[in-house]
Amino acid sequence: MAEYLHHVTSPQAAHHILSTGVFEPFSIDVVSADACLNMLLLDANGERLPHARQQPIYGGYGVVLEIKWEGPVEALGSWIDRPSANVLYHQPGNEDNVGSVLEPGVYWRSFVRAGTNQYLSITGVRVYPDEMAEEWVKGSLPKGLMGAWRFVPAFVRRLFRAHGASQAAQALSRQVGSHGCPLIVAGPAEAL
C-alpha cells in the first residue's frame, strides 16, 4: 500500500531535486542522523499536525514536495538501530510508542536513509506564495525559475511579484509532470 508524505524545502532546493531526481542529504555517512530525507506529517492544508513535535527538521521553507512511498515500512526507535536504505521509517515521539508507530498520529516524522534508490517518487508540489515571491524579487531563484526576469532590476520585479511567484511555481509543477518523477536519496545503498 502506498504512503503519501511531505518534504518541506526551499524553492532553490526543490528545483535542484526536481531537476536531478536526487535528494542530497547533509551527510551520506549512514551512521549520521543527517543521512536521510526527512518527511513531515502534515494535514491536507500543509499544516503541522497538533501532535507532531514542533522542532524544525528541514533545511528550507517555501515549497512542499508531495512524496509517494511504495516500499517496506518499519518503525525506528533510535538511530542506533542502524536504518537500512530502501525502507521508510516512522519514528515515534518517544520510545514508549515504538510498538504502535505504524498507526498514523503516533509518529512525529518519517524518513528514508541515504542510499535509497527505489520505491520513492515526487507526485506534486505545493508552493507558499509569499516565500516564493520574496525569493523571486531577490533574484535568488535558479534561472529555470526566473527566466529572463533575472536580468530585470529587483525594484521592477517587486511590481510583478505575484506574477513572478506564480510563474516560478508553475515551472516547478511542470518538472513533476502528470505522472510524477522518481526520486533517489544520494549515498551508499549498503552500510559501510
Side-chain angles (χ1 to χ4, degrees), residues 16 25 68 82 96 107 133 136 189:
H16 177 76
K68 180 179 179 182
R82 300 290 295 259
D96 295 337
Y107 50 91
W136 188 82

Side-chain angles (χ1 to χ4, degrees), residues 78-120:
S78 165
W79 199 265
I80 296 169
D81 296 339
R82 300 290 295 259
S84 300
N86 299 311
V87 176
L88 172 67
Y89 290 95
H90 296 308
Q91 193 166 24
N94 63 55
E95 291 185 22
D96 295 337
N97 291 336
V98 172
S100 60
V101 76
L102 298 181
E103 299 172 26
V106 176
Y107 50 91
W108 70 279
R109 77 167 182 157
S110 301
F111 66 89
V112 291
R113 200 202 77 198
T116 294
N117 56 17
Q118 54 186 339
Y119 309 125
L120 195 59

Side-chain angles (χ1 to χ4, degrees), residues 35-144:
C36 66
L37 167 64
N38 281 306
M39 291 168 279
L40 301 174
L41 296 169
L42 302 177
D43 66 16
N45 297 318
E47 300 296 324
R48 297 281 307 258
L49 295 175
H51 61 271
R53 284 191 191 169
Q54 294 303 311
Q55 74 184 62
I57 59 170
Y58 47 86
Y61 188 74
V63 175
V64 175
L65 298 177
E66 297 170 351
I67 295 176
K68 180 179 179 182
W69 176 261
E70 296 184 282
V73 178
E74 295 181 16
L76 184 76
S78 165
W79 199 265
I80 296 169
D81 296 339
R82 300 290 295 259
S84 300
N86 299 311
V87 176
L88 172 67
Y89 290 95
H90 296 308
Q91 193 166 24
N94 63 55
E95 291 185 22
D96 295 337
N97 291 336
V98 172
S100 60
V101 76
L102 298 181
E103 299 172 26
V106 176
Y107 50 91
W108 70 279
R109 77 167 182 157
S110 301
F111 66 89
V112 291
R113 200 202 77 198
T116 294
N117 56 17
Q118 54 186 339
Y119 309 125
L120 195 59
S121 62
I122 299 172
T123 59
V125 174
R126 192 172 357 175
V127 173
Y128 294 92
D130 291 341
E131 284 75 12
M132 182 66 86
E134 181 180 321
E135 296 299 318
W136 188 82
V137 169
K138 287 193 292 190
S140 63
L141 297 175
K143 112 174 140 176

Side-chain angles (χ1 to χ4, degrees), residues 138-191:
K138 287 193 292 190
S140 63
L141 297 175
K143 112 174 140 176
L145 299 182
M146 290 291 298
W149 284 97
R150 67 186 184 280
F151 302 115
V152 175
F155 75 89
V156 175
R157 284 195 304 267
R158 190 174 329 284
L159 299 172
F160 297 94
R161 66 184 274 132
H163 170 75
S166 174
Q167 293 295 308
Q170 289 174 24
L172 282 177
S173 292
R174 281 192 301 274
Q175 288 182 290
V176 175
S178 59
H179 300 294
C181 58
L183 177 63
I184 66 170
V185 181
E190 299 298 321

